[in-house]
Amino acid sequence: MPATLSINAIRERCVKFAYDWSDCVGDEKQDGHEFMRELMKCFGITKRKAISYERRSNRASTGRQGYIDALIPGKALIEMKSAGKDLDRAEEQALDYIHDLADVETPRLLIISDFRRIRIVDLDSEIATDGSGDAGRTEFRLAQLPDHVDDLKFLAGYGMVQVGSREQEEASIRAARVMADLYEALDGSGYSDHEASIFLIRTLFCLYGDDAGLWERDLFTEFLETRTREDGSDLGAQLAVLYQTLKTPMERRQSTLDELTARFPYVNGGIFEEQLNIPSFSSTMRDELMRACAFDWSGISPAVFGSLFQAVKSPEARRELGEHYTSETNILKTLGPLFLDDLRERFAEHTHDLAKLKELRQELRDLRIMDPACGCGNFLVVAYRELRHLDTEILKRIRELELARKDNDEFQATIFFDDQGESADITVQLDHFFGIEIEEWPARIAQTALHLAHHQANREMERLLGQAPSILPLKASAHITIGNALRTEWTQVCPPSPYVRIVGNPPFIGQYMRSEEQTDDLRFVWGDGYDGYLDYVTGWFIKASRFFQSVPNGGRFAFVSTNSIAQGVPVVALFRPLLEGSWRIRFAHQTFAWTSEAPGAAAVHCVITGFDRGAPHEKAPALLFTYSSPKSQPAVAPVEHISPYLIEGANIFIEARTRPLSPILPEVRFGSKPADGGNLIVEMEDYREFLEDPIASKYLRPFSNARELLHGLNRWCLWMAGSNFDSRDIQRSLLLKERVSACKEFRLNSRKKATNESAKTAHLFQENHQPTVPFVAIPRVISESRHFYTVAHLDEETIASDALFTALDPDGFLFAIISSSMFITWQRAVGGHMKSDLRFSNKIVWNTLPLPEVSDKLRTEIIAAGQGVLDARAEQPGASLADMYNPLAMAPSLLKAHRVLDRAVDRAFGAKKPLETNEERLALLFKRYQEMTATDS
């Protein structure tokens, strides 16, 4: 029951093949088929089913029918010519046939030969940058075939794509779409969801096994073609027999078992363990399964495919397959600085030290990886793959060093294997990986994806060391526990030790989006430390820190999370108990867009924080990854310390205050909240009607949200809180009566008690904070790309909504301070965000701004500089604030005015010299904050 041939065995066969054919006449008609068959045998392809000879196909250039010499669907097209013929013309002919092939049949490579030479053309390769057109082409003499085994090893099931490449991601997306079609056919059959899940997992394993060398190439496909009827009527029963066989050891199988079925190896591993009802299939369902067999499954990424496979059950997700998955690049942003980079650096540092390399392998043996929100296992799969790759590289280097100091005749390449070719010393095992997942379906995917990753790692070992253990029968498996991670005792899943690394991407669910059950989870985990502002994701942070309580030193964990954990009020509730528990922020990625690279993918604005503690070797400089924009590439810098706000600095907590810390700043208040369902607001299209109503028009007032303020838009509201209000007017005006009645109905239907109560005064805004004198309007949210916080003066006749904050500013001092670089630097550091946009808060941003007392002279200078900003704005009549503060097109005069303002405001905070960067400003701000809060109890 041959599976994948070793690279050494393939090379030996190629040596013999090249010798046997070296003196052949080379006639296409007489020898072509035999040459191709013998060449395929070198790579273990012996069945006609795996390769189609003399395949009919229409030529694109002429429309006439021709014949492809040989086709391996989805992999390679072979074109033979007689000795000495033009290979360029043969290549053109091969390309001419491709247009008539189905997508799943379209080959990746062309193999062209005239018996003397072999040319390999990679159709997915980029065009040569020098215009030569030779990119993706490899040509060599027949005698050189043994030296080019790597170029053709995919024929033996070694895969055609680079692990972790964009190409592998694309192959995984295509594979998931094939599987989605299969599930759709299965979904309408009435098969239970649980059993359908298991069926898909088993089918995936068999499809992968066909192409990746787990058993004879296309054995599963041959089984379906020859042992099941075209109408699908016996497909379920035959698959039941096959799956029963796959879980039965060879020595326990019945002697009367069908010959083809008996050729399948013993798999084990739990994949085929559960007994299922025999499903009923149709011809359509069988057709979909056969179509899936035509796809090349050897090139998929278990991590990416697993994420996509998880989505095939949702009709909406199936339509968007490929647009929403976690890219491996983003996963490595977590795994790299947590532990992988350190291991790789030590491998590079000790590459000539045999003893140190063996010590490093021992550390790999001790390492345990746990993802307590593992989903379909993509973090675990990538971690396993990268650790196996590192272990194999170390083994390769150890062998080189050992061979260099020993007699080659006494020390062979098989030093790491026993007589049966099994591994004697693979340090990274599947049972070193642990996960917790709340749903069965993704948990099963995770288990299977790790088995596929194990096989791919063995194939890489085969390539680099010439030998690798067989994956079958499946022995060790990862430990995937199905359950609620916040209710599960993690120490029962994975024993705590200094060598455990906890990683993952737990669910982000904000305060107002959580279910009651999820809020109970958080209360359960946090206990007395529970704070209502905490995101659901924070439960994983505190659980991870407590997991290591029994471990005196060591341990590391890192999570992807919403960026809100490092902003505003939640910072203190989350980071204080972690830092008081001796945890250090080992690395941090500031806000970036966590998304796939596919077009139309939705971005989530995230941060990554990694923690370590205790052990001396974990006191290396912290690493801070910064982004010029959420979608840019990160810049990394070693820093002495990372603060809870994910900036360089000490562990300072900015706590909400009810009054300004600075004695010279006025209070800032919320605007007025309508809570009206839009019924007290008058839009542009309704304005004329209200204006012409003699009663309703008395109550029309300009109304401003942040959008109106920033973009200079017109909007109005019905304001009946003034001294001119006459309650009888509501009955006198049909417009007023309709709007007030609708507002009352809206409030009565609200689930909030305060809103219900305000239905008694439905003609008024629910909350009235309108100033009675001119004021400064401060948007609650502005774009993160702004260089300055954009505020403006409004008169008391303009009603400010609760999307604005308001403040009295009789002399312009507040306007100047909030318009400075110093303020927006503080806002970025301690304020909240909506996605990546900046979110102002009076309690956590304004009231904590550490502005000391200033002299009358400096105050006057600051006010004058603020007026200079207003004067520069006035030079652009008709332009909105959004236009004027477009970061790519700010007027030189406005930029100059802000620079003058910054010089004055910087001095107010204690700058002794002009500050050139916001990093300098931030250091000064935190210093002032420490000084001004030193006496706080």
Side-chain angles (χ1 to χ4, degrees), residues 367-477:
L367 207 57
R368 299 292 182 270
I369 311 298
M370 179 165 71
D371 182 350
C374 73
C376 55
N378 46 14
F379 274 74
L380 295 175
V381 165
V382 175
Y384 176 82
R385 185 193 72 203
E386 295 298 313
L387 289 171
R388 277 292 307 271
H389 174 73
L390 177 60
D391 187 40
T392 301
E393 289 287 348
I394 297 171
L395 282 173
K396 179 184 174 186
R397 182 57 183 158
I398 288 175
R399 184 178 68 178
E400 291 169 351
L401 293 175
E402 292 277 16
L403 287 170
R405 70 180 193 177
K406 292 178 181 287
D407 184 339
N408 287 358
D409 292 335
E410 299 177 3
F411 192 78
Q412 299 301 317
T414 57
I415 58 171
F416 304 114
F417 302 92
D418 58 27
D419 293 339
Q420 285 73 44
E422 293 299 314
S423 168
D425 191 26
I426 291 180
T427 61
V428 181
Q429 299 287 347
L430 281 180
D431 57 5
H432 296 177
F433 291 76
F434 304 80
I436 304 174
E437 167 52 37
I438 198 166
E439 296 180 4
E440 180 194 16
W441 171 235
R444 286 185 177 274
I445 295 172
Q447 198 95 47
T448 306
L450 280 159
H451 282 304
L452 304 190
H454 174 51
H455 177 67
Q456 291 182 347
N458 284 358
R459 296 283 66 77
E460 182 188 41
M461 174 177 276
E462 173 82 33
R463 180 176 63 84
L464 293 176
L465 297 178
Q467 193 171 2
S470 171
I471 185 178
L472 299 180
L474 301 175
K475 301 178 182 70
S477 293

Side-chain angles (χ1 to χ4, degrees), residues 575 579 585 641-652 926:
F575 284 91
L579 298 177
I585 301 177
H641 201 85
I642 298 175
S643 87
Y645 298 92
L646 307 191
I647 58 176
E648 183 176 7
N651 291 335
I652 299 170
F926 273 103

Side-chain angles (χ1 to χ4, degrees), residues 8 14 28 82 95 165 169 198 246 284 312 340 345 400 418 469 487 515 524 545 564 753-754 811 827 897 901:
N8 286 344
C14 286
E28 177 186 354
S82 295
L95 290 169
S165 66
E169 291 187 13
I198 298 174
L246 288 169
T284 300
V312 303
L340 282 177
E345 287 168 9
E400 291 169 351
D418 58 27
R487 299 280 181 168
S515 67
F524 174 78
S545 69
S564 67
K753 184 177 179 181
D811 62 359
Q827 167 70 57
L901 175 62

